[in-house]
Amino acid sequence: MNTTTTTPSAEPLTEQLAYLKLPFMQEHHAPLAREAAQAHWDHVAYLSRLAAGEAALRRERSVQRRITQARFPVLKTLEQFQWSWPKAINRLQVQNLFRLQFVADQHNVIILGTVGLGKTHLATALGYAACLKGHSVRFATAVEVINTLAAAQRGGRLKQGLDSYRKPALLILDELGYLPIDKTGADLLFQIISQRYEHGATVITSNRVYKHWAEIFNNDATLTSALLDRLLHHAETIVIEGQSYRMKDRIES
């Protein structure tokens, strides 16, 4: 009697993997099965390879999602930073921040220096590193935050607006002090700093030393003092000195 051996169709399995939203397994189960047969893998080894690929794809997609949600203007890394340009910067202090312990501890980092010294570069690089390590991040300029919250307040959506800056594990407020802030803007920024106090890490870049921060906040000494009290209670300050890197060619010519 003749018998015919048939191989089960892969179509039902492919459909089930699609339904379960397992794209790596859906795409690679057949070629990996052929490889497993040739290499004499057991069932556990075959499943392990599929599961590892699925997990890696999911991690990669999670990282990309966090980067997109962070809204970085451009991506920067610590390796790209020009250490030789600033006149003064504590390199070891900066490098230690990239351990990201301050994010886990819900502490703050304030980067101070004049324009063109790499403050935004370092802040963005910290945010990017945090995304890679699984932390939620939000990047915005101080003016952008104020404008967004002011619009939310006018539309009766202030709580939702505040939540978008309160909830991320790391909030980056860039360019604080570059443009004047009125009383409404100062109050809104104070709410963000106050609500994140000991609940989330914040990185702030500014071109003003602390003694001039009252000028940023509409010359409101009381509000500025309360804000700095919360901000600096658990904070590390990075001071960068030198001339603008963007003016490098003109300065050297």
Side-chain angles (χ1 to χ4, degrees):
M1 181 176 64
N2 294 328
T3 60
T4 302
T5 302
T6 61
T7 302
S9 172
E11 288 184 6
L13 176 59
T14 300
E15 292 172 359
Q16 290 163 354
L17 292 173
Y19 175 75
L20 292 171
K21 296 182 173 59
L22 299 170
F24 181 88
M25 290 186 176
Q26 180 185 354
E27 181 179 352
H28 294 91
H29 71 87
L32 273 178
R34 290 192 292 270
E35 185 178 347
Q38 294 171 359
H40 304 291
W41 299 346
D42 61 23
H43 294 84
V44 173
Y46 170 62
L47 181 59
S48 295
R49 286 286 296 272
L50 281 175
E54 191 66 49
L57 178 62
R58 188 162 298 187
R59 282 192 293 269
E60 181 182 346
R61 289 185 172 182
S62 295
V63 168
Q64 291 305 315
R65 183 169 59 252
R66 287 191 293 271
I67 292 171
T68 299
Q69 292 171 344
R71 304 183 186 180
F72 298 117
V74 293
L75 291 182
K76 297 288 186 180
T77 66
L78 181 63
E79 290 72 23
Q80 295 169 327
F81 188 74
Q82 299 291 329
W83 293 103
S84 60
W85 181 253
K87 179 180 177 182
I89 184 172
N90 189 329
R91 183 168 181 170
L92 290 179
Q93 182 188 22
V94 172
Q95 290 173 326
N96 186 60
L97 289 176
F98 281 79
R99 294 173 53 245
L100 301 176
Q101 186 60 43
F102 78 96
V103 179
D105 293 339
Q106 299 176 335
H107 290 181
N108 306 316
V109 174
I110 297 90
I111 307 175
L112 304 177
T114 55
V115 298
L117 290 176
K119 300 186 301 298
T120 299
H121 183 134
L122 289 176
T124 303
L126 279 169
Y128 178 63
C131 286
L132 296 180
K133 289 296 185 179
H135 299 292
S136 58
V137 179
R138 180 68 188 275
F139 179 103
T141 65
V143 171
E144 178 188 344
V145 171
I146 292 169
N147 290 341
T148 300
L149 292 180
Q153 189 173 43
R154 290 192 297 270
R157 296 174 286 98
L158 182 58
K159 183 182 183 304
Q160 296 94 311
L162 289 170
D163 282 348
S164 68
Y165 297 111
R166 177 182 59 83
K167 290 183 176 181
L170 175 59
L171 173 66
I172 301 171
L173 286 176
D174 195 31
E175 298 182 346
L176 179 65
Y178 283 69
L179 292 173
I181 298 173
D182 61 14
K183 184 180 186 308
T184 298
D187 290 342
L188 291 170
L189 276 184
F190 176 78
Q191 289 188 63
I192 292 294
I193 299 301
S194 181
Q195 291 185 19
R196 290 187 62 81
Y197 175 61
E198 295 188 333
H199 288 88
T202 304
V203 172
I204 294 178
T205 71
S206 179
N207 61 339
R208 308 281 191 97
V209 295
Y210 295 130
K211 66 180 180 181
H212 294 314
W213 274 32
E215 299 171 9
I216 300 174
F217 296 102
N218 200 42
N219 291 309
D220 188 332
T222 301
L223 180 145
T224 304
S225 178
L227 184 145
L228 285 173
D229 180 64
R230 288 163 174 77
L231 190 64
L232 299 181
H233 182 208
H234 305 295
E236 191 163 351
T237 301
I238 303 293
V239 178
I240 310 176
E241 299 176 1
Q243 296 175 307
S244 171
Y245 186 81
R246 289 185 288 272
M247 296 292 291
K248 180 176 180 292
D249 293 336
R250 294 186 184 181
I251 292 169
E252 293 181 346
S253 62

